[in-house]
Amino acid sequence: MTAPASAASGSAETSVPSDSSAIAWKPVLLIAGALGVVLLAFSARYGYHRDELYFRVAGRHPMWGYPDQPPLMPLIGRAVTAVLGDSLVALRIPAALFSAAGVVVAALTAREMGGRRRAQLLTAGAYAVCPFVVATGHSFSTATLDLLLSTTIVWLVVRWSRIRDQRILLAVGVVAALALNVKYLAAFLIAALVAGLLISGPREFLRRPMTAVAALVVLAAAAPALLWQAGHGWPQLDMANAIADKADFAGRPGLIPFQILLTGVVLAWLWIYGLWRTYRSDDLRPFRFLGHAYVLLTVLFLITAGKPYYLSGLWAALFAAGAVEIERNGAPRGWGWVPTVPTYVITAVTTALLTLPVYPVTWLADTPQPVVNADSAETVGWPRFAEQVADVYNSLPPGERSRATIIVSNYGEAGALDKYGPDLGLPRAYSGHNGYWYFGRPRDTGGPAVVVGPETEAGAPSLRRFWTDVRPVDRIDNGVGLDNQEQGKPVWICRGQRAPWIELWPRLKTLS
């Protein structure tokens, strides 16, 4: 039950939770802590993800924006390595903390919907064993922090819709400002929530002065990155088109099915049930805007070929809606087995097997994990990659070696050589891929180039646009037979550069 009370800062009279609706701190923190411990326990296995290698370098080249992201994550990466050291575990500590914090925010969302202990634990548990949460929590990536901030935005909007304290609107603005400096995707979530509130209410936020203040905070925080994008021809739009063309997760037909996979095949039922109940339950009527937001985003991402996890910011709230309904009314007939401990345990084990580096690396190619979670394959083979490039570099005659340039096809490869290359005696590697293009072009030394890629030896004509003599001399092999982006790529020695780099460098610029 709830009792009426007057909310702070001039908000309308509304109800606040009674003692029975207090947050179940001990078990919720236990679940959050367990997730964090598991993620940290596996943080050193396999190796860096290509994005992590990219962030290490991007943090040393701070800019107001990058073609593929806003500026915050590289800065955080730089701060982490400065404070904790330049190691894989250090870089992944924040990712584990972000994911553990998301468990708490999920439980708080259930509490704001009137959920007591059981609903909070059902929600926290579903979030903690969610495959997408665990997979992103294992690596330092934009998706990890974006998920936490998006989930927090939704929680704050749910809380505001209940108590109408306009200070919460300012909090939404602050978190949204951070989110937009992690990933521009947050703008779609904010727009969908606003649209949902306009459709079903409460619309009171339109009359609140703090809404205008929050909007100014968001605009001020987003302006530098947006001005950078505008000044560089809006490369983020080209990135969005490139991502859509890839048709990851089976493209548009996979938008819904892969959400079920990413949230846990069995426990996905909980958020689907919560979505349905936001439209059917009188108790959840104040939160119907969540259902509208989800439907609007689904339609938008079907049209634009967005990825399934673009809706992940709403998953915790929908988990919460389903859990609250189960706590109040019991599970629907025939589905009582879903909100049980064995179901959560089975999902947790399955999630670990599909997302975490639990296998010996030599077994990984023979497991289903790289098929379900392609990112796991991108954490294998980087030291060996650097060694193979070093072998080719060292095969050059000493006179050429001192003037040689190393060119690689993507930021992961360049980041790997930045990490492991100095110990192998390699000079700096260059790449025209995404933000790495902005980190500088090679010097004109008159020497040969060691080039990784194109993907096959059939790519020789593309290299001949830059050099007169191109010869494949090796092929990348990660040593475990794992089919990732680098496996099988030829390594070339290219001579006879056709023009100075100031002319050639713009032609190497790529976005993907």
Side-chain angles (χ1 to χ4, degrees):
M1 299 291 292
T2 56
S6 181
S9 296
S11 60
E13 187 174 277
T14 187
S15 59
V16 296
S18 64
D19 292 341
S20 62
S21 296
I23 183 71
W25 282 116
K26 287 184 179 180
V28 167
L29 290 177
L30 182 62
I31 294 171
L35 175 61
V37 167
V38 169
L39 291 173
L40 288 176
F42 287 99
S43 61
R45 285 181 57 79
Y46 298 174
Y48 286 89
H49 186 274
R50 67 176 61 251
D51 288 356
E52 294 171 317
L53 293 166
Y54 177 34
F55 289 142
R56 283 185 65 259
V57 182
R60 303 199 301 269
H61 296 82
M63 300 189 292
W64 287 114
Y66 300 85
D68 48 0
Q69 63 183 303
L72 188 55
M73 287 302 289
L75 291 177
I76 293 175
R78 182 177 183 180
V80 169
T81 55
V83 174
L84 301 178
D86 187 10
S87 72
L88 180 59
V89 173
L91 199 58
R92 288 180 173 175
I93 288 174
L97 294 176
F98 295 155
S99 298
V103 172
V104 178
V105 176
L108 288 171
T109 307
R111 184 245 193 181
E112 292 302 330
M113 293 181 176
R116 301 183 183 183
R117 183 185 179 91
R118 186 185 181 201
Q120 293 172 27
L121 297 187
L122 289 175
T123 304
Y127 188 93
V129 302
C130 173
F132 181 70
V133 172
V134 177
T136 57
H138 175 61
S139 64
F140 184 81
S141 70
T142 54
T144 313
L145 183 52
D146 174 68
L147 177 60
L148 171 61
L149 295 176
S150 296
T151 301
T152 302
I153 290 170
V154 175
W155 162 57
L156 289 171
V157 174
V158 167
R159 180 166 174 76
W160 173 82
S161 72
R162 189 179 64 79
I163 68 174
R164 313 292 172 83
D165 183 341
Q166 67 169 338
R167 291 175 299 185
I168 296 174
L169 297 174
L170 178 59
V172 171
V174 171
V175 179
L178 289 172
L180 286 170
N181 276 286
V182 172
K183 212 166 188 177
Y184 299 115
L185 185 66
F188 296 104
L189 174 65
I190 296 164
L193 290 170
V194 169
L197 290 168
L198 291 176
I199 293 170
S200 63
R203 304 180 184 90
E204 185 180 321
F205 72 95
L206 293 173
R207 302 192 300 272
R208 294 293 179 185
M210 203 60 76
T211 299
V213 175
L216 289 175
V217 169
V218 171
L219 290 174
L226 293 176
L227 289 173
W228 187 94
Q229 288 285 327
H232 291 80
W234 297 100
Q236 186 68 48
L237 298 178
D238 295 328
M239 277 292 304
N241 291 331
I243 291 171
D245 290 342
K246 285 183 178 179
D248 291 340
F249 300 97
R252 291 180 179 85
L255 186 68
I256 301 299
F258 271 94
Q259 284 189 73
I260 294 173
L261 182 62
L262 292 175
T263 52
V265 173
V266 175
L267 286 181
W269 174 89
L270 186 61
W271 72 259
I272 295 171
Y273 178 60
L275 174 63
W276 177 58
R277 294 304 293 171
T278 61
Y279 286 100
R280 302 291 296 177
S281 170
D282 289 337
D283 292 324
L284 292 178
R285 185 178 181 85
F287 313 112
R288 189 161 295 172
F289 67 88
L290 294 171
H292 296 323
Y294 179 85
V295 171
L296 290 170
L297 285 179
T298 298
V299 172
L300 173 65
F301 294 138
L302 281 171
I303 294 172
T304 59
K307 295 183 180 181
Y309 65 80
Y310 288 179
L311 293 118
S312 60
L314 288 165
W315 289 343
L318 296 178
F319 275 134
V324 168
E325 282 294 284
I326 288 174
E327 183 180 59
R328 287 175 178 152
N329 307 310
R333 183 176 299 176
W335 289 92
W337 55 273
V338 173
T340 61
V341 171
T343 302
Y344 279 72
V345 171
I346 292 170
T347 302
V349 171
T350 303
T351 293
L353 292 175
L354 293 177
T355 62
L356 293 177
V358 296
Y359 309 98
V361 68
T362 53
W363 296 6
L364 185 59
D366 298 320
T367 72
Q369 187 176 120
V371 177
V372 176
N373 177 27
D375 282 344
S376 65
E378 305 305 324
T379 64
V380 173
W382 292 119
R384 184 180 172 95
F385 170 86
E387 290 168 1
Q388 287 191 263
V389 173
D391 288 342
V392 174
Y393 174 78
N394 289 324
S395 72
L396 294 169
E400 284 193 319
R401 191 186 315 152
S402 63
R403 296 180 293 118
T405 301
I406 299 177
I407 307 291
V408 294
S409 58
N410 63 58
Y411 61 60
E413 296 166 1
L417 295 180
D418 181 90
K419 173 65 179 176
Y420 301 109
D423 290 339
L424 298 170
L426 291 178
R428 173 188 170 181
Y430 296 85
S431 176
H433 184 222
N434 289 12
Y436 230 98
W437 185 86
Y438 293 87
F439 301 163
R441 63 176 182 267
R443 293 182 299 110
D444 290 306
T445 65
V450 176
V451 181
V452 179
E455 305 296 328
T456 68
E457 292 181 16
S462 66
L463 295 178
R464 291 196 181 99
R465 295 183 301 147
F466 303 93
W467 297 275
T468 59
D469 180 12
V470 297
R471 300 180 183 180
V473 294
D474 199 0
R475 190 176 293 278
I476 299 299
D477 180 9
N478 54 46
V480 294
L482 192 61
D483 186 18
N484 57 20
Q485 288 190 42
E486 277 57 56
Q487 184 71 353
K489 272 188 180 179
V491 183
W492 310 73
I493 293 179
C494 302
R495 295 180 173 90
Q497 188 172 313
R498 294 184 180 274
W501 278 115
I502 194 171
E503 296 180 25
L504 297 180
W505 193 239
R507 293 158 58 184
L508 276 177
K509 187 177 184 180
T510 58
L511 293 173
S512 64

